[in-house]
Amino acid sequence: MRRGRPATAGDVAAAAGVSLATVDRVLNGRPGVRSATAEAVREAVERLGFRRDVAAASLARGRRYRFRFLVPRLPQNSFMQAVRREIDAAALGGLDHRTAIAVDDYAAFDPADLARRLDACRRGEAMGVAVVAVDAPEVRAAVARLADEGVAVVTMVSDASPSRRTCFIGPDNVAAGRVAATLLGRFGGGRRGRILTVAGRMTLRDHAERRLGFAQVVERDFPHLSLLPVAEGLDDWSVTGPMVAEALRAAPDLVGIYSMGAGNRGIVAALVAAGRGADVVAIGHELTPFMREALLSGTFDACINQDPGDEVRRAVQTLRALADGDRDFRPDPVRIDIYVKDNLP
Amino acid sequence: MRRGRPATAGDVAAAAGVSLATVDRVLNGRPGVRSATAEAVREAVERLGFRRDVAAASLARGRRYRFRFLVPRLPQNSFMQAVRREIDAAALGGLDHRTAIAVDDYAAFDPADLARRLDACRRGEAMGVAVVAVDAPEVRAAVARLADEGVAVVTMVSDASPSRRTCFIGPDNVAAGRVAATLLGRFGGGRRGRILTVAGRMTLRDHAERRLGFAQVVERDFPHLSLLPVAEGLDDWSVTGPMVAEALRAAPDLVGIYSMGAGNRGIVAALVAAGRGADVVAIGHELTPFMREALLSGTFDACINQDPGDEVRRAVQTLRALADGDRDFRPDPVRIDIYVKDNLP
DNA sequence: CTGAAAGCGCTAACAC
DNA sequence: GTGTTAGCGCTTTCAG
């Protein structure tokens, strides 16, 4: 029976005394097979240890995937640029796997523009959409319209919730905030003082969640530390810089900074200018080229990262599963990576 | 020309005015094509934006891969068990991708047994071998014999070097040691005192490298800390336990423990018994179920991890590339993951 | 409910 | 050097 090589669907058909077409129907759970026949096929599959050759299946199916990614237009934000690069890479690689990926960007922080572009996906050209979202009613409504038309939507990096997106592909940001607090508290070495937390905007769900987790842990584990009110730096170094400089002046007992968004260039500049680069503990997010330098120079002490390549790949994988009608596919969770100067990749 | 759907090799052939076979020869860099013809084909490929459909190629090629994994028999070692589980998972998944993976184990730490089993791979049944190695002359010789027969060998987790293995798939253990030192030093909060480092055996290359990186950073960055001689716990909790208990007694100023191998159960037991679970900083390796608990309970403060699933997948990928004759394929480096209680997956 | 047969896009013999 | 052709293993009409 098995002559060295693995069993094929043909072998199964022969063993079960049915035709190839029937085997295929059973394999793919299609209707129109008597249960006795189906059982015989399943038995043969089991007995021969048959496994479907995915290359052959994919070729025969001839199915084509068309997805669209939507990201905010933030040319200054290296992390978002990295996300774009990873999407481009996935687009290139996808071509070999019958998957066409288009990218589009929207005016950053602008729910109306994002909603408009989501609506543009409704003409049926895309089977699925992955979006770095803004958490706003217009966006949630546009997502619902897509869902109604059978276009699967997943959110990445920043979620819109509750909404009809199938899932969010990104780190647990509350946990990320907790990690930041643990590292900052412990790196501080028991010194008493205040901590500055810098967000882009607290209306960004990911930043708000990070702050939440951070505050939880500081309160519980580091009672000798207290939090200053959140500074909103708009993810812009020309805003964060003066803000941090001012905080350094106003709070001489500042022992740490937690930067929950972008604009770290300004934070480093302010710390260095004040001669506090070494003694203030700084924790930030996303391992951009600038963050690498800041870690190596010691101005930043740790960086919490989400791997954009990973996220994009998971998004594509999820969208493909959804397009295949696999309603209950759940992607692996995105990890919370910790980097210090010694484990930079 | 392009009617919506992506160009096929047939389209390219038509566009270049040659046959399918010629296109195939150019695509795969096979000889027997006039350079002018080849150029015309390449031009058509470019112009049509042709990309080879990997599913079709893989199906037509009909190539079958047979690999073998060799791991030490260490039923007590959860990390090695995880490696085995990941290999089993890869073996199952590989079946769908024309890849047969066999696993075998050898007597742990026994170069002679490992060499024997490597030699057993020489009968041509395996096209490639991935081995969690022991760094010994017998092993290096056996690897050379395999290489002579054209069987590709990659090492995983623990290297044998210099040897004719094609590459090592594992973390940079010197860097991992440096990370451990940075974390331990900073978590210690400037307290002066001694540090115990526990290895399985210093003849294990990974443990020795970790210790090297650790010592480098302690010396350079934390002059208030000094290292006790390495304790060799044989990766066995019944050995590490008493060792740590004794160190705790002999060195009342012990501020930290760096566990470079397994046997963490013994370390935790000794710390807890001495009532030092909270104040001694403990850093270990590999996120086993026990390590998770130890992090959550606070006895261990951080864990440096290598992802066994990642390593196994990279090994398979590398072996496949090697089997396809891709001499200069280099797998992505294995990351050094840092876990604290807050970012456990 | 089941089967026969025509591909999917590429590769590899084998002709010319 | 180049072209013809028979598959690879599965999916999918379309008949029965």
Side-chain angles (χ1 to χ4, degrees), chain A residues 126-151:
Chain A
M127 316 165 53
V129 176
V131 54
V132 176
V134 180
D135 197 5
E138 299 93 309
V139 174
R140 294 194 281 264
V143 168
R145 285 191 289 274
L146 281 177
D148 281 335
E149 297 205 358
V151 178

Side-chain angles (χ1 to χ4, degrees), chain A residues 185-341:
Chain A
R186 301 215 53 172
F187 282 7
R191 271 188 299 152
R192 163 173 306 276
R194 281 180 284 178
I195 293 175
L196 177 66
T197 55
V198 184
R201 282 218 195 148
M202 284 301 275
T203 56
L204 291 175
R205 211 183 171 83
D206 43 350
H207 295 193
E209 288 177 350
R210 287 169 188 175
R211 164 78 195 197
L212 175 66
F214 188 82
Q216 280 176 358
V217 168
V218 168
E219 247 176 57
R220 190 192 61 202
D221 294 348
F222 305 104
H224 55 287
L225 299 176
S226 63
L227 299 184
L228 289 166
V230 180
E232 294 197 314
L234 307 179
D235 286 338
D236 182 338
W237 61 267
S238 68
V239 180
T240 57
M243 270 180 162
V244 171
E246 173 52 27
L248 248 16
R249 213 170 297 126
D253 64 338
L254 194 82
V255 300
I257 296 184
Y258 176 34
S259 167
M260 298 172 284
N264 292 318
R265 208 172 287 268
I267 296 178
V268 167
L271 283 171
V272 169
R276 306 286 302 276
D279 78 282
V280 170
V281 179
I283 313 270
H285 277 267
E286 318 320 353
L287 191 62
T288 59
F290 180 77
M291 180 58 85
R292 289 182 70 97
E293 279 176 50
L295 286 172
L296 288 171
S297 75
T299 315
F300 264 86
D301 298 273
C303 168
I304 296 166
N305 185 64
Q306 52 185 317
D307 183 336
D310 228 61
E311 294 179 321
V312 169
R313 281 186 292 274
R314 289 212 202 311
V316 173
Q317 196 186 0
T318 307
L319 254 17
R320 216 180 258 139
L322 256 22
D324 287 340
D326 189 348
R327 279 276 118 217
D328 40 37
F329 173 88
R330 284 292 164 268
D332 288 340
V334 171
R335 305 194 313 191
I336 297 167
D337 304 328
I338 301 175
Y339 287 106
V340 294
K341 67 174 184 304

Side-chain angles (χ1 to χ4, degrees), chain A residues 79-94:
Chain A
F79 175 73
M80 216 47 85
Q81 292 311 304
V83 170
R84 274 211 74 138
R85 272 196 307 281
E86 293 294 344
I87 297 172
D88 291 339
L92 211 63

Side-chain angles (χ1 to χ4, degrees), chain B residues 153-233:
Chain B
V153 180
V154 302
T155 51
M156 281 177 59
V157 181
S158 195
D159 197 10
S161 174
S163 78
R164 294 189 44 207
R165 92 277 190 281
T166 309
C167 68
F168 169 60
I169 295 172
D172 176 340
N173 281 306
V174 178
R178 284 198 282 258
V179 173
T182 298
L183 294 177
L184 199 155
R186 301 215 52 173
F187 282 7
R191 271 189 299 153
R192 165 174 304 276
R194 281 180 284 177
I195 293 176
L196 177 67
T197 55
V198 184
R201 284 218 193 147
M202 284 300 275
T203 57
L204 290 175
R205 207 182 174 84
D206 43 351
H207 295 193
E209 288 177 350
R210 287 169 187 175
R211 163 78 194 197
L212 175 66
F214 188 82
Q216 280 176 358
V217 169
V218 169
E219 248 175 57
R220 191 192 60 201
D221 294 347
F222 305 103
H224 56 285
L225 299 176
S226 64
L227 298 185
L228 289 166
V230 180
E232 295 197 313

